Amino acid sequence: MPNKKKGTIALPLEKNEIIKDYRLAYQSRQASLIGRREVLSGKAKFGIFGDGKEIAQLAIARAFQKGDWRSGYYRDQTWMFMLGVMSIQEFFAQLYAHSDTTHDPASGGRQMNAHFATRLLHPNGTWRSQTQLYNTAADVSCTAAQMPRAVGLAYASVVYRSLKELHNLKDFSINGNEVTFATIGNASTAEGHFWEAVNAIGVLKAPAVISIYDDGYGISVPNQFQMVKENIGTLLKGFERDPHTPPDKAHNGYDHYTVHAWDYPALVETYQTAAEIAREYHIPALVHVIDVTQPQGHSTSGSHERYKSAERLKWEEEFDGLKKMRQWMIDNRIISVPELDALEKADYDTVEGFRKAAWDAYLAPITEERAQVMDMLEEIAGASNHVAELRMLRDRLATLPSFTRRDIHTIVHEALRLLRDESHPNKQVLIGWKHENDKLNLERYGSHLYSGTAMKVDEVKPVYADESPTMFGFEVVNAAFDAALARDPRLIAFGEDVGKLGDVNQGFKGMQEKYGAMRVTDTGIREATIMGQAIGMAMRGLRPIAEIQYLDYVLYALQTMSDDLASLHWRTAGGQKAPVIVRTRGHRLEGVWHSGSPMMGILSLVRGMYVLVPRDMTHAAGFYNTLLKSDEPAIVVEVLNGYRVKERLPKNIGEIALPLGVPETLREGKDMTIVTYGACCRVVLDAADKLAKVGIDVEVIDVQSLMPFDIRSKIIESLKKTNRILFVDEDVPGGTTAYMMQEVIEKQGGYFHLDSPARTLSAKAHRPSYGSDGDYWSKPNPETVFDAVYEMMHEVDPNAYPVFK
């Protein structure tokens, strides 16, 4: 701290550092103002900015150290600029959706502006050293969606500090000293994700500093409609630990701070204190940043003048953090007004220069593509009967005031429609250009949905000896988890009842006693943050198996799975990954709950993850081993009524590896192919025995893996032989059976081999009714499978298969 001079106050930093901070905040404000202008002028599609929050973010950035993590939202630009995680030029590149990661490293143009991310991976997919980086998890627009993963990012520090066997992983942690900084707006604290995350972080005693920027509104809705007592800080007081107990003596609850968004010295002190205590003692902090202003309103989608009073707008102008810091600097003789005026003019010009450089870089390759198309159109026009129309298209393209690749390809498509009845070499050049650029653009905007590592794991078949014991299914998967926990100290299993009880079906029985409570851990009933805990831990180099107790409970976590986990690798263009294994169980149980099979809903929402549906515990073990050899997220749905079914234990239970996307033929046949998975395998095999007794020979195929699906087209080979197919599962009508039908009949060309219409057999549209009888008339059973097949065969040969019902 600088010495206090007579007649002045003690400054929080040296004068040159304060001036540097202000200039950065001023540049950030200009980026917001200029960014809004670019959207309103049509150069960018949408803008959301961090104006009004600059001063608080200066203080956060000063407390943030290499190795720390940010789990924030789209208002944190000043913080990111100060750390160098994103430059102002990169900020504008993202605003324009520049698809080159050298210009927009955070997302390669895939995310809206102000969605920040550190590139955590080398181009080959291996981890960079996180302890040498300022780490920021890729932002998610959905309100409060940054909170669940903050649980895992913070808790990873607890794991790294507690487990000696991980202390050598210096690229991921230095004694668990890393702090996770989470930010959220006041209105988003009304979301369940926020409260679940705050509670979980407190229970886990994880080092997090959670900041709530409170501007009094959620778009147009004031705090009186957002929260009880209109003050989130008041509500959070219940999480506060005893402030009179020294940090080294108390470890239950949060430190709680309230600070004005315009008070630069207090902000610097608050965040330094909160971060130091969190770092050393793993005591989390809640920082309520009040009196936040929002000079441009919520976003470019609307104007805050529509819902804020004249008095409120006047107050916001007076208490603007930038304006208040400027006056504070002048009052304390840190800098003079003329000096500040000169610096501000230079800083505006600097930001405008960054904007121009970003725009020119974004437009250059598109301009080149436009020139190529214009040249080709001119060449074609000279030999075409549509010379006038083609030159009009060329002129239209040439005179567009602003243009995108879509505009260019729209013109090309229109030209090819005109030329559909002509044939000459230059037309083929244009077609070739279109095909080549379509391929480039599909890669440009769609690459990295998967890393592909799981698909490269070699199959290891189970090996059995004469003495291989027969045991319950839960004992088989238990043996697999035992081997995996022994093999890799990074493997952490957690979920409701997973620890002491060993999960409700005993898959982890005895594992907590053997490996300790940090390796096999109980959690509260909080599915969204179980998922977030797994994401954050996986991003920090650990290998979590997160258990969601039942398949229908996955719905609580599905938003986090879909918006964050499944899209992470794609939305960062390969810059981040989180190899989470979600373990759950479902399908058959005789009741309304825990009996549903919402597989199509999951399939639709988690593209970017693998969806695996093993029919027994040996196959489940094979999938777990495969996933642990790769770096991709997946959900494994075990069969709920399979834990008490007897299986033989392979000698190599810890090594078996099941390939993804490869179905298994359970029974060969010549009359019809039945495609199914999971619990329905036993149902269909039972039906197959009954069908055999009336002379119908069916082939039964277990797909095993819904995503990816039958990558070797094994089902087609069966269909070529039988020429008839039935898809069976216990999802709702039009659900996963329809998905499987599309995969086989449409995508793999199975329609070509059909002699009868393809059919589906699913559960009923309602939830499964309670009890054995309710189950029987709610889901496919051996008799309904028999009837479906028999009816199809009756249509083929009524005499051989007469109606009997």
Side-chain angles (χ1 to χ4, degrees):
M1 185 77 68
N3 293 328
K4 183 176 179 180
K5 297 178 181 179
K6 186 177 180 180
T8 65
I9 64 166
L11 299 177
L13 298 163
E14 295 289 347
K15 287 185 177 182
N16 64 314
E17 290 296 305
I18 295 170
I19 294 168
K20 185 169 72 173
D21 277 7
Y22 176 80
R23 294 188 69 182
L24 192 282
Y26 185 85
Q27 289 180 13
S28 181
R29 176 64 62 85
Q30 304 319 302
S32 296
L33 297 171
I34 293 170
R36 180 180 178 85
R37 182 196 74 197
E38 293 301 279
V39 175
L40 297 180
S41 71
K43 287 184 177 178
K45 293 297 181 183
F46 178 77
I48 198 159
F49 306 103
D51 47 303
K53 300 169 179 65
E54 295 93 349
I55 312 307
Q57 290 174 28
L58 296 173
I60 296 173
R62 284 201 168 272
F64 199 92
Q65 296 182 10
K66 286 187 175 179
D68 287 348
W69 280 83
R70 169 188 166 273
S71 186
Y73 77 136
Y74 38 72
R75 304 291 188 187
D76 289 336
Q77 68 195 52
T78 307
W79 176 6
M80 298 296 93
F81 295 161
M82 194 166 176
L83 295 180
V85 170
M86 175 180 272
S87 70
I88 295 177
Q89 185 168 326
E90 289 166 348
F91 175 83
F92 282 111
Q94 190 180 60
L95 183 69
Y96 299 134
H98 198 147
S99 58
D100 188 337
T101 55
T102 61
H103 293 273
D104 172 20
S107 66
R110 295 178 182 186
Q111 296 229 86
M112 293 187 296
N113 82 297
H115 285 62
F116 312 107
T118 309
R119 295 202 75 76
L120 302 176
L121 305 178
H122 294 292
N124 65 0
T126 58
W127 293 107
R128 297 174 65 194
S129 177
Q130 295 178 1
T131 50
Q132 301 303 310
L133 297 173
Y134 297 118
N135 303 289
T136 185
D139 287 351
V140 182
S141 285
C142 307
T143 53
Q146 69 272 32
M147 296 306 299
R149 56 139 183 264
V151 176
L153 292 171
Y155 181 61
S157 289
V158 178
V159 174
Y160 279 118
R161 181 172 287 185
S162 302
L163 294 178
K164 292 182 179 179
E165 56 267 41
L166 300 179
H167 286 183
N168 63 325
L169 298 177
K170 302 296 186 184
D171 284 338
F172 294 101
S173 179
I174 307 297
N175 193 38
N177 290 337
E178 301 77 27
V179 175
T180 294
F181 291 75
T183 57
I184 190 168
N186 55 290
S188 295
T189 64
E191 293 275 13
H193 283 351
F194 172 78
W195 292 100
E196 194 172 310
V198 169
N199 184 59
I201 288 170
V203 168
L204 294 169
K205 301 177 174 63
V209 176
I210 301 172
S211 298
I212 301 150
Y213 303 137
D214 194 343
D215 62 18
Y217 288 83
I219 306 184
S220 68
V221 181
N223 278 349
Q224 71 183 93
F225 300 111
Q226 304 284 357
M227 61 206 65
V228 176
K229 300 183 180 181
E230 302 183 33
N231 189 318
I232 185 62
T234 301
L235 300 187
L236 291 170
K237 275 287 186 180
F239 289 94
E240 187 176 13
R241 71 181 181 91
D242 182 357
H244 303 295
T245 305
D248 59 338
K249 302 296 183 184
H251 204 197
N252 191 12
Y254 281 78
D255 282 343
H256 189 285
Y257 306 86
T258 301
V259 61
H260 295 281
W262 44 262
D263 193 340
Y264 175 76
L267 286 160
V268 171
E269 180 181 0
T270 296
Y271 279 105
Q272 288 291 345
T273 302
E276 287 172 7
I277 293 173
R279 196 178 308 283
E280 184 172 355
Y281 301 106
H282 280 193
I283 294 175
L286 288 161
V287 183
H288 186 200
V289 183
I290 61 174
D291 287 353
V292 178
T293 63
Q294 204 156 254
Q296 298 186 114
H298 175 265
S299 71
T300 53
S301 292
S303 169
H304 62 160
E305 287 83 1
R306 291 163 53 200
Y307 54 85
K308 289 179 182 174
S309 67
E311 292 77 14
R312 171 71 190 197
L313 291 168
K314 182 179 179 181
W315 178 89
E316 288 200 13
E317 184 180 353
E318 181 181 349
F319 280 84
D320 184 300
L322 209 61
K323 182 177 180 179
K324 296 282 278 186
M325 183 176 177
R326 189 183 202 274
Q327 191 60 50
W328 175 82
M329 291 166 63
I330 294 167
D331 291 345
N332 287 280
R333 300 179 182 179
I334 295 168
I335 190 170
S336 68
V337 172
E339 289 174 312
L340 260 180
D341 289 344
L343 291 177
E344 287 174 351
K345 182 181 184 306
D347 287 336
Y348 175 86
D349 292 341
T350 296
V351 174
E352 186 59 52
F354 288 141
R355 182 213 61 78
K356 185 178 185 305
W359 176 251
D360 290 345
Y362 162 75
L363 205 56
I366 303 175
T367 301
E368 183 179 348
E369 292 169 26
R370 182 180 71 160
Q372 292 170 354
V373 169
M374 288 166 57
D375 288 345
M376 285 185 282
L377 291 176
E378 183 62 33
E379 287 287 330
I380 296 169
S384 172
N385 295 327
H386 301 283
V387 57
E389 296 102 314
L390 289 170
R391 284 183 172 152
M392 283 180 62
L393 288 177
R394 182 191 182 282
D395 292 344
R396 197 167 89 206
L397 187 56
T399 55
L400 285 173
S402 62
F403 50 90
T404 64
R405 286 190 170 95
R406 182 179 70 177
D407 296 319
I408 298 168
H409 281 254
T410 299
I411 294 288
V412 169
H413 195 275
E414 189 170 346
L416 291 174
R417 295 199 306 269
L418 285 170
L419 295 165
R420 66 189 185 279
D421 58 349
E422 294 186 359
S423 178
H424 44 75
N426 289 332
K427 173 186 170 183
Q428 295 307 313
V429 173
L430 183 62
I431 292 172
W433 183 94
K434 182 182 186 302
H435 288 168
E436 180 184 347
N437 279 271
D438 278 340
K439 184 177 179 181
L440 286 171
N441 287 321
L442 287 171
E443 178 73 10
R444 182 175 277 138
Y445 303 110
S447 67
H448 296 96
L449 185 59
Y450 298 93
S451 74
T453 58
M455 306 302 294
K456 298 174 184 176
V457 175
D458 292 331
E459 180 178 10
V460 179
K461 294 181 180 295
V463 176
Y464 298 94
D466 292 340
E467 65 274 15
S468 292
T470 297
M471 55 179 58
F472 290 118
F474 80 86
E475 295 174 300
V476 172
V477 76
N478 181 270
F481 288 142
D482 189 3
L485 286 161
R487 183 173 61 241
D488 190 347
R490 300 172 304 154
L491 179 57
I492 312 291
F494 55 91
E496 298 158 15
D497 300 302
V498 166
K500 186 173 183 178
L501 190 64
D503 88 47
V504 292
N505 294 103
Q506 304 290 280
F508 282 101
K509 182 181 179 181
M511 295 298 103
Q512 188 179 81
E513 293 89 338
K514 187 171 184 178
Y515 295 100
M518 294 299 299
R519 297 285 308 282
V520 183
T521 304
D522 284 314
T523 70
I525 298 176
R526 52 175 182 83
E527 284 80 10
T529 51
I530 288 173
M531 192 65 62
Q533 184 172 328
I535 295 168
M537 293 171 72
M539 292 184 77
R540 292 195 60 186
L542 299 170
R543 295 307 311 266
I545 296 179
E547 178 165 314
I548 303 297
Q549 197 163 88
Y550 294 109
L551 183 58
D552 44 351
Y553 291 171
V554 170
L555 300 183
Y556 286 97
L558 194 52
Q559 186 266 333
T560 301
M561 282 178 64
S562 178
D563 290 335
D564 199 352
L565 178 58
S567 71
L568 178 64
H569 197 245
W570 171 82
R571 75 178 190 271
T572 58
Q576 296 188 358
K577 64 182 176 183
V580 171
I581 298 174
V582 180
R583 181 193 183 215
T584 190
R585 54 192 64 85
H587 310 309
R588 298 237 157 190
L589 187 69
E590 294 180 359
V592 177
W593 314 113
H594 313 333
S595 302
S597 185
M599 295 306 301
M600 191 62 233
I602 292 169
L603 285 168
S604 297
L605 292 169
V606 301
R607 302 300 171 108
M609 295 178 66
Y610 295 122
V611 180
L612 310 177
V613 282
R615 69 179 182 273
D616 59 34
M617 300 307 146
T618 303
H619 287 79
F623 279 139
Y624 289 124
N625 290 336
T626 295
L627 294 169
L628 288 168
K629 292 179 181 179
S630 76
D631 67 355
E632 300 186 85
I635 180 170
V636 180
V637 183
E638 298 171 10
V639 175
L640 183 53
N641 61 4
Y643 296 108
R644 294 288 170 179
V645 176
K646 294 291 187 74
E647 302 178 31
R648 292 184 72 199
L649 178 68
K651 289 171 57 178
N652 59 337
I653 188 65
E655 289 77 44
I656 60 174
L658 196 61
L660 308 191
V662 181
E664 182 179 352
T665 301
L666 305 184
R667 175 186 178 126
E668 294 193 356
K670 66 180 187 306
D671 293 326
M672 186 176 299
T673 300
I674 305 181
V675 179
T676 190
Y677 62 87
C680 281
C681 289
R682 290 167 58 196
V683 173
V684 170
L685 287 171
D686 187 352
D689 290 339
K690 292 176 169 59
L691 288 162
K693 292 175 182 177
V694 297
I696 299 175
D697 187 18
V698 297
E699 186 147 296
V700 179
I701 296 178
D702 173 14
V703 301
Q704 304 195 100
S705 164
L706 289 170
M707 280 198 313
F709 186 91
D710 190 14
I711 59 172
R712 299 176 188 173
S713 299
K714 292 188 69 173
I715 298 172
I716 288 294
E717 294 306 311
S718 174
L719 188 55
K720 288 178 181 177
K721 176 174 58 174
T722 67
N723 306 118
R724 295 174 185 86
I725 194 165
L726 173 68
F727 298 93
V728 179
D729 89 329
E730 49 189 296
D731 199 353
V732 295
T736 310
T737 51
Y739 163 80
M740 293 191 293
M741 180 185 283
Q742 183 193 33
E743 290 288 328
V744 176
I745 304 304
E746 178 187 333
K747 293 185 179 180
Q748 297 182 4
Y751 68 89
F752 186 77
H753 306 289
L754 290 175
D755 287 343
S756 299
R759 286 189 57 179
T760 65
L761 177 64
S762 67
K764 297 297 185 287
H766 54 73
R767 296 290 180 101
S769 187
Y770 176 56
S772 296
D773 289 344
D775 175 79
Y776 186 82
W777 273 279
S778 298
K779 292 190 171 190
N781 56 62
E783 289 71 37
T784 53
V785 175
F786 179 102
D787 290 347
V789 172
Y790 193 89
E791 182 179 321
M792 292 174 72
M793 296 305 295
H794 169 77
E795 292 170 359
V796 175
D797 190 343
N799 293 324
Y801 308 105
V803 174
F804 69 91
K805 60 178 180 176

